[in-house]
Amino acid sequence: MVLTLDHNSPVPLHAQIEEQLRRIITQPEYKKGKKLPNEIDLARKTGVARSTVRQAINKLVYDGLLVRKKGVGTVAADIAYVSKSRNWLSFSQEMKAMGMEVRNYELFIGWVKPTEELCLFFNVDKETKLLKLERLRGSVDGPFVYFISYFNPRIGLTGNEDFSRPLYDILEKDYNTVARLSKEEISAKAADKLLSEKLEVKIGDPILKRKRFVYDPGNRPIEWNIGYYCADSFIYTIESERDA
């Protein structure tokens, strides 16, 4: 594998590595399972810090193009298609579009040390504390979604913000951080004790789990969010547009 970097380019080195890896892993041998060189080898070959290489690889992992396999290494993901939905909305915007009034039933704010998954997503070390926001939300009829959000420390959130305001309004108007891109994972699970209490359902009842990764216009991660919805209170609709 040969990577050529321009150290005088205004394009960051990690972005140059990411773009070249993005092209390389489309080659047949990588689609068949050939693993990438490890981070140390790539750093030596390109003359950059290992953290720079890791940042590029982390981005491709969260884009779903690379997979880290324990005992094997990093390989191209076995994905046939990637579907993108347009015009994604915040929860408040979704509710407004349906003519529903949003109610906040619980709100908790705290600072926590990140899990390994959060370290990779935000590219921070395990000692960096992240702002954690928990919100139980719904309509006038009762709560039906429990949100947990973590935020990139580079934004500058203090924890003293008025989170009864729309979240992305706070980020944009108060911190000049625009939420531009959302990547989501949708799955189902059975309600455990915590979710049954929060959402007022029975243990074992079906729950819609919606995981959202939010990025700014520069593709920098700003929010890691997971939402648990009552299955009988929310329908998730995807509208996709086929390229001509």
Side-chain angles (χ1 to χ4, degrees), residues 94 184-186 209-212 226-227 229 234 236:
E94 288 173 340
E184 302 190 13
E185 297 175 1
I186 307 296
K209 181 180 178 182
R210 183 184 187 186
K211 206 170 183 180
R212 173 178 275 180
I226 186 166
Y229 296 78
F234 193 83
Y236 187 70

Side-chain angles (χ1 to χ4, degrees), residues 40-209:
I40 295 176
D41 288 342
L42 282 174
R44 287 173 179 167
K45 290 178 180 179
T46 54
V48 300
R50 183 180 178 181
S51 60
T52 302
V53 173
R54 184 182 298 117
Q55 187 174 357
I57 291 177
N58 285 348
K59 180 62 168 59
L60 294 175
V61 168
Y62 277 95
D63 279 354
L65 299 177
L66 290 179
V67 176
R68 289 185 174 93
K69 294 187 176 181
K70 189 174 182 180
V72 176
T74 303
V75 298
D78 183 15
I79 296 177
Y81 301 98
V82 176
S83 177
K84 294 185 179 180
S85 299
R86 300 171 183 260
N87 300 320
W88 65 279
L89 303 173
S90 69
F91 176 77
S92 297
Q93 290 172 324
E94 288 173 340
M95 296 302 99
K96 183 177 180 180
M98 293 187 289
M100 296 177 63
E101 179 185 344
V102 176
R103 289 283 182 91
N104 292 309
Y105 288 89
E106 292 181 7
L107 193 154
F108 298 103
I109 302 168
W111 293 89
V112 298
K113 289 185 177 180
T115 62
E116 182 177 355
E117 182 179 19
L118 291 170
C119 285
L120 289 172
F121 180 62
F122 290 118
N123 195 31
V124 297
D125 61 56
K126 61 182 180 180
E127 298 302 320
T128 301
K129 288 192 174 182
L130 303 179
L131 181 67
K132 180 182 180 181
L133 173 64
E134 299 176 69
R135 292 180 294 173
L136 182 62
R137 312 187 79 186
S139 66
V140 294
D141 297 322
F144 62 78
V145 59
Y146 173 51
F147 286 120
I148 303 173
S149 289
Y150 300 87
F151 300 94
N152 196 322
R154 63 173 292 277
I155 296 172
L157 291 168
T158 66
N160 296 318
E161 292 78 11
D162 177 11
F163 285 108
S164 64
R165 294 168 54 198
L167 175 60
Y168 298 136
D169 280 358
I170 294 174
L171 296 183
E172 183 170 353
K173 295 177 181 178
D174 299 356
Y175 293 95
N176 297 314
T177 299
V178 177
R180 179 67 179 273
L181 175 65
S182 171
K183 299 179 181 180
E184 302 190 13
E185 297 175 1
I186 307 296
S187 60
K189 65 167 294 175
D192 55 18
K193 186 174 184 296
L194 174 64
L195 293 177
S196 71
E197 293 174 353
K198 295 287 187 184
L199 299 174
E200 301 176 2
V201 298
K202 295 179 181 179
I203 294 177
D205 277 358
I207 297 294
L208 175 71
K209 181 180 178 182

